[in-house]
Amino acid sequence: KDALAQAIWAQASVDTALPKPPCLICTTSPAETMRGARIFQRGFAGFGTPQPTRIFPGVKRHCELVIEEGKGSEVWTVEGKRYLDATSGIGVLSTGHCHPTVVKAVQAQATKITHAQQSCYYSSTVNQLIGRLLPIVPAGLESFFFANSGAEAVEGALRLARQATKRDTVVAFLGGYHGRTSGTLAVTSSSSSYR
């Protein structure tokens, strides 16, 4: 992890010609990490002040920074300190924080309808997306499942796998994280604190 953090820092300084920002990748030793995990108010890798929180303890975080805003791969704390977000929002921000095209699309959709619940009625936006997906998915795939979270997508995949195979058992790898819902926790083994 130290080598990866150094490579990211080196690339960030080349790309931006700005001072090296601290990286949100953990560079502590396992012993330091375990010591920090034993207390409810915890610090991690020296980033941020331990925060008292009312957020459910099953929601883990890797540092105590309080982030105010983000743009691209960078985030800023409420104190104005700049950091490189090497997590990309846990992998869901392929365009980075607040990409102008994404922001524009969200703003446009929010002026039409904010939650077109797919179990209540059809959405013209979803129908348009299906129209764009049909020509590019493999032949034979003619239905879609849209989810609002990774956990919901994994739950859907588990149900689909059980239906398609007519089996009740699924294989899950040790150390895997799949979400915080009941079904995803059944196949999550990365940490018992999620359960």
Side-chain angles (χ1 to χ4, degrees):
K1 288 182 178 177
D2 289 342
L4 177 60
Q6 291 300 323
I8 291 171
W9 286 334
Q11 187 60 46
S13 62
V14 168
D15 290 345
T16 62
L18 295 171
K20 176 173 79 171
C23 178
L24 296 186
I25 289 179
C26 168
T27 57
T28 59
S29 70
E32 290 172 314
T33 302
M34 288 308 296
R35 188 169 44 251
R38 288 192 184 108
I39 57 174
F40 190 62
Q41 288 187 342
R42 63 197 182 281
F44 193 79
F47 293 125
T49 304
Q51 300 288 318
T53 182
R54 296 198 183 273
I55 297 174
F56 175 68
V59 178
K60 297 164 72 174
R61 68 198 48 74
H62 290 288
C63 68
E64 300 296 326
L65 296 175
V66 179
I67 299 300
E68 176 84 9
E69 63 182 293
K71 183 169 180 135
S73 61
E74 298 173 321
V75 293
W76 286 263
T77 65
V78 292
E79 295 87 17
K81 286 180 127 180
R82 174 178 151 258
Y83 290 87
L84 173 65
D85 182 2
T87 66
S88 293
I90 312 297
V92 299
L93 298 172
S94 59
T95 60
H97 294 283
C98 302
H99 189 283
T101 303
V102 175
V103 169
K104 184 177 175 183
V106 168
Q107 289 171 333
Q109 182 61 43
T111 65
K112 295 178 183 179
I113 187 168
T114 50
H115 183 60
Q117 171 59 338
Q118 60 186 343
S119 64
C120 295
Y121 36 72
Y122 293 101
S123 162
S124 62
T125 303
V126 171
N127 287 344
Q128 290 171 16
L129 177 58
I130 290 171
R132 292 178 67 184
L133 290 173
L134 276 172
I136 60 174
V137 298
L141 295 181
E142 299 173 347
S143 64
F144 299 89
F145 174 68
F146 297 105
N148 62 16
S149 69
E152 187 179 6
V154 171
E155 291 258 1
L158 289 169
R159 287 193 305 271
L160 179 61
R162 290 174 68 188
Q163 179 184 3
T165 63
K166 308 286 189 253
R167 296 178 181 173
D168 289 332
T169 305
V170 295
V171 174
F173 293 97
L174 288 175
Y177 173 79
H178 303 288
R180 291 186 204 99
T181 61
S182 293
T184 59
L185 283 173
V187 292
T188 290
S189 62
S190 61
S191 173
S192 62
S193 67
Y194 289 117
R195 296 181 181 185

